[in-house]
């Protein structure tokens, strides 16, 4: 029979006595470690004896994405959860056109009957303030007869830019524009004359003041599907908001079978865009459009006082 020894008023075996001694030493070490904590934090004992407070949390149901309604370069719908992290690195692609019903034909503001032929302006000063009057294809003056076009009180604006010729020189559209400093975004589209209600866009120019700290979105659209957009940091470009009668120029250059559009604001270069399609044929007619909303119903806020179309020296 195993030899019994007395521990804490009980008779136990030697093995049980060893276990009790180990337990006693462990408890003594814990008391030594905990003692300074209790002394330093007198409320620990009170908190330890308090029943944990039950916290109820309500998880909000995810919001449905907004419906698509008109043209834009990239979606602006907010994301949540893991999608927000991904959206911080890139913009989400738009919904493919196969799932978007064909858009109804949009109303277009009234245009002058018959646009004038392009005017060779190389012989005059290239400053927009000295442009020949006959080059104005959309002349909106500050009078009752022709007030300036603005995107929040009038339908979508579309202006014909006739007879694009592939020669050096270069054919240029100059817009006299104003943009409020607090506007969120505005957009302009350069398209072929037969664009099938915006299904084809050669160049989409879309400054966005608030989105991701401010960016300029560049894109195109073919067969009613947006291409891969490019995003530029708005703070590295000339100011595109807070404009008053600024001269915004789009100049076409066709070389080696490619067409490049150079953009300048008050003679300061902004960006260039090479068409990701075959160059328009000689004598092609183009259209300049200013939408009032994007695909998600966001307002595009810009005022256009006039549009000039003619020849200028390279900008």
């Amino acid at each position: 029979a195993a030899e019994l020894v007395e521990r804490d008023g009980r008779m136990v075996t030697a093995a049980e006595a060893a276990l009790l001694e180990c337990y006693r030493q462990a408890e003594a070490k814990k008391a030594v470690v905990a003692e300074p904590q209790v002394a330093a934090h007198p409320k620990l004992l009170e908190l330890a004896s308090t029943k944990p407070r039950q916290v109820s949390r309500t998880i909000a149901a995810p919001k449905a994405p907004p419906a698509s309604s008109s043209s834009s370069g990239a979606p602006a719908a907010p994301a949540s959860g893991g999608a927000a992290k991904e959206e911080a690195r890139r913009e989400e692609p738009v919904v493919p056109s196969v799932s978007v019903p064909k858009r109804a034909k949009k109303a277009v503001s009234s245009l002058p009957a018959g646009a004038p032929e392009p005017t060779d302006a190389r012989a005059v000063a290239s400053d927009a303030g000295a442009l020949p009057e006959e080059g104005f294809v959309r002349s909106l003056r500050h009078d009752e007869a022709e007030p300036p076009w603005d995107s929040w009180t009038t339908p979508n604006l579309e202006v014909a830019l006739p007879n694009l010729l592939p020669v050096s020189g270069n054919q240029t559209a100059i817009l006299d524009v104003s943009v409020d400093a607090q506007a969120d975004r505005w957009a302009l589209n350069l398209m072929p004359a037969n664009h099938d209600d915006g299904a084809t866009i050669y160049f989409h120019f879309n400054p966005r003041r608030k989105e991701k700290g401010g960016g300029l979105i560049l894109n195109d659209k073919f067969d009613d599907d947006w291409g891969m957009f490019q995003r530029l940091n708005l703070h590295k470009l000339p100011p595109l908001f807070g404009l008053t009668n600024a001269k915004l120029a789009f100049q076409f250059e066709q070389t080696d079978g490619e067409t490049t559009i150079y953009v300048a604001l008050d003679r300061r270069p902004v960006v260039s865009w090479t068409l990701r399609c075959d160059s328009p044929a000689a004598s092609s007619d183009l259209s300049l459009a200013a939408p009032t909303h994007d695909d998600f119903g966001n307002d595009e806020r810009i005022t256009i006082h006039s549009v000039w179309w003619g020849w200028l020296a390279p900008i």
Side-chain angles (χ1 to χ4, degrees):
E3 183 180 355
L4 299 178
V5 295
E6 183 180 358
R7 287 290 187 273
D8 298 330
R10 294 185 300 169
M11 301 301 293
V12 296
T13 64
E16 292 174 336
L19 289 175
L20 289 172
E21 182 64 25
C22 290
Y23 176 77
R24 184 181 295 106
Q25 292 178 3
E27 288 296 318
K29 289 181 180 180
K30 292 196 315 185
V32 172
V33 174
E35 182 177 358
Q37 296 181 1
V38 174
H41 304 282
K43 291 190 177 181
L44 283 177
L45 293 176
E46 178 184 350
L47 293 175
S49 62
T50 304
K51 184 178 179 180
R53 182 169 56 92
Q54 298 296 324
V55 180
S56 60
R57 297 182 181 179
T58 303
I59 301 177
K63 297 181 180 180
S68 176
S69 60
S70 63
S71 65
S72 178
S80 60
K85 297 180 181 179
E86 180 64 18
E87 187 179 357
R89 296 188 295 269
R90 63 176 180 84
E91 292 205 3
E92 296 292 336
V94 297
V95 180
S97 60
V98 293
S99 63
V100 178
K102 183 64 178 177
R103 295 166 287 111
K105 184 66 177 178
K106 302 182 184 306
V108 178
S109 60
S110 59
L111 302 176
E117 291 296 322
T119 301
D120 190 337
R122 287 172 291 178
V124 301
S126 59
D127 184 1
L131 294 174
E133 183 68 25
E134 58 269 22
F136 285 97
V137 294
R138 175 70 175 177
S139 184
L140 300 176
R141 303 305 181 191
H142 294 281
D143 55 35
E144 295 182 359
E146 296 205 65
W149 178 88
D150 61 75
S151 59
W152 57 94
T153 62
T154 50
N156 291 0
L157 175 68
E158 184 174 333
V159 176
L161 305 178
N163 198 21
L164 175 67
L165 297 177
V167 297
S168 59
N170 294 50
Q171 220 155 346
T172 308
I174 296 180
L175 288 72
D176 185 354
V177 302
S178 295
V179 179
D180 190 271
Q182 300 304 314
D184 289 343
R185 52 195 291 150
W186 55 277
L188 293 169
N189 296 325
L190 287 167
M191 312 178 293
N194 182 19
H195 51 75
D196 189 19
D197 188 26
T200 300
I201 298 176
Y202 288 147
F203 181 39
H204 174 73
F205 185 85
N206 185 202
R208 302 178 183 181
R209 184 175 63 88
K210 291 184 177 180
E211 185 176 296
K212 299 180 182 178
L216 171 61
I217 302 299
L218 309 176
N219 208 344
D220 53 20
K221 182 195 279 190
F222 299 101
D223 296 327
D224 217 12
D225 288 330
W226 288 105
M228 182 66 68
F229 71 91
Q230 294 182 15
R231 186 180 190 278
L232 304 178
N233 191 324
L234 203 63
H235 301 290
K236 296 182 180 180
L237 303 173
L240 296 176
F241 293 88
L243 307 177
T244 302
N245 291 105
K247 304 304 184 290
L248 180 65
F250 295 88
Q251 188 169 84
F252 292 80
E253 181 182 78
Q254 294 184 315
T255 56
D256 299 328
E258 290 186 342
T259 299
T260 301
I261 301 174
Y262 295 91
V263 184
L265 181 68
D266 287 334
R267 303 181 60 81
R268 297 175 60 188
V270 177
V271 72
S272 64
W273 175 269
T274 299
L275 266 58
R276 299 186 288 198
C277 63
D278 294 336
S279 291
S283 303
S284 296
D285 294 337
L286 303 180
S287 287
L288 171 71
T292 59
H293 300 83
D294 71 352
D295 285 345
F296 296 91
N298 298 305
D299 292 339
E300 308 281 12
R301 303 297 295 269
I302 183 175
T303 298
I304 300 179
H305 305 280
S306 64
V307 179
W308 186 93
W309 174 241
W311 298 96
L312 287 181
I315 58 177

